[in-house]
Amino acid sequence: SLTATPIPRTLNMALLGIRDISVLATPPAGRIEIENHFGKFDWDVVKDVITKELKRGGQVYFLHNRVETIDNVFEKLDKMFPQANVTVVHGQMNVQTLSKNMQRFVRGESKILLCTTIIENGLDIPNVNTLIVDDVNRLGLSQMYQIRGRVGRGQKRAYACFFYESLKGDSSLRLEAIKESQSLGSGFLLSSRDLEIRGAGDILGKKQSGTINSIGYGLYTQLLKEAVLAIKGS
């Protein structure tokens, strides 16, 4: 299996010797690391960031992960940047509208894509080099890492702005992990931090994260390590 996303249980199995692991840490030739920015959400800052990207001929992802209020954000952005042809995409759109809006953005007719986490996988548009996330509390660490990878696909400096009103739960830990993994090829470091934050998942079953309530993670790891060593004849 090959993953570009931190999956705690998979990493834990590799660290325990149940699975083999190879780390691909060399970025594509010419790729420049993404510059991260963190702070409280401020429309003045957002306007400044988007203006700078548009001035250099680039495009912007604006991630607002709430479909019920995405139209309000559209009105704000459309009023702020009337010449940018802001386009909206999210998973509750019908296929025809979604495809049409996405094609406008890919062709460069739209300069700002207002979206949900629907952009998480598969997009490779080298001209998009600024990402704005308006509320990091709604994203997991693997999502932030994956979405950050949607910018910086070419040879221009890319910027990822992670904003919040206030940090809740493990959000501060997730942001700290993203800060630590700014350099290219640091996915393994991020995976390790995600394992620490989210836990290693079920002993058996499909759950990829969380603690083992029945015996505790520490005892589980010890028992599993002993079993692995016994099978290997150590």
Side-chain angles (χ1 to χ4, degrees):
S1 62
L2 179 69
T3 177
T5 309
I7 301 176
R9 185 176 63 170
T10 304
L11 175 60
N12 189 55
M13 291 171 71
L15 294 176
L16 289 169
I18 300 173
R19 304 182 64 167
D20 292 329
I21 185 170
S22 297
V23 178
L24 304 178
T26 304
R31 187 70 59 86
I32 303 172
E33 71 178 36
I34 300 164
E35 188 172 311
N36 299 320
H37 295 277
F38 307 88
K40 289 198 172 185
F41 185 84
D42 185 320
W43 276 111
D44 290 334
V45 175
V46 168
K47 184 177 182 179
D48 183 54
V49 170
I50 294 178
T51 299
K52 287 180 179 177
E53 184 59 56
L54 296 181
K55 279 184 176 179
R56 66 173 183 168
Q59 293 168 279
V60 177
Y61 292 127
F62 189 109
L63 196 150
H64 177 81
N65 205 31
R66 297 186 297 281
V67 173
E68 62 273 16
T69 55
I70 202 167
D71 288 338
N72 298 335
V73 180
F74 170 78
E75 291 175 6
K76 182 79 173 179
L77 286 172
D78 190 51
K79 185 177 181 180
M80 193 176 288
F81 300 99
Q83 304 303 318
N85 295 322
V86 182
T87 297
V88 180
V89 297
H90 58 75
Q92 294 182 25
M93 284 181 162
N94 64 63
V95 176
Q96 291 78 15
T97 303
L98 180 60
S99 178
K100 178 183 176 182
N101 289 357
M102 200 63 231
Q103 285 301 319
R104 285 184 65 214
F105 187 71
V106 171
R107 290 193 298 263
E109 297 168 10
S110 169
K111 301 300 182 184
I112 302 173
L113 187 71
L114 175 58
C115 55
T116 59
T117 53
I118 194 172
I119 66 164
E120 187 172 350
N121 297 301
L123 291 187
D124 186 3
I125 310 175
N127 197 46
V128 187
N129 286 299
T130 290
L131 165 71
I132 294 172
V133 177
D134 66 358
D135 187 2
V136 297
N137 290 294
R138 292 180 173 269
L139 301 179
L141 180 54
S142 61
Q143 282 184 308
M144 283 193 282
Y145 180 71
Q146 191 81 308
I147 290 167
R148 184 179 64 178
R150 297 309 96 208
V151 296
R153 311 293 293 182
Q155 297 185 358
K156 283 185 177 180
R157 169 72 69 186
Y159 301 91
C161 303
F162 298 98
F163 295 121
Y164 50 86
E165 291 295 339
S166 61
L167 294 175
K168 304 172 185 175
D170 292 332
S171 294
S172 59
L173 295 175
R174 294 196 294 270
L175 282 186
E176 192 61 38
I178 285 288
K179 289 179 184 179
E180 293 172 359
S181 62
Q182 176 166 311
S183 60
L184 295 171
S186 58
F188 185 79
L189 169 64
L190 191 78
S191 297
S192 301
R193 292 288 288 116
D194 199 33
L195 173 60
E196 293 174 14
I197 295 169
R198 290 204 289 157
D202 291 339
I203 301 174
L204 301 172
K206 299 180 180 179
K207 193 173 181 183
Q208 296 282 7
S209 63
T211 55
I212 300 96
N213 294 325
S214 56
I215 63 171
Y217 176 64
L219 179 55
Y220 161 63
T221 302
Q222 178 186 332
L223 293 173
L224 197 53
K225 185 175 182 180
E226 291 173 359
V228 170
L229 291 175
I231 292 172
K232 289 184 174 180
S234 300

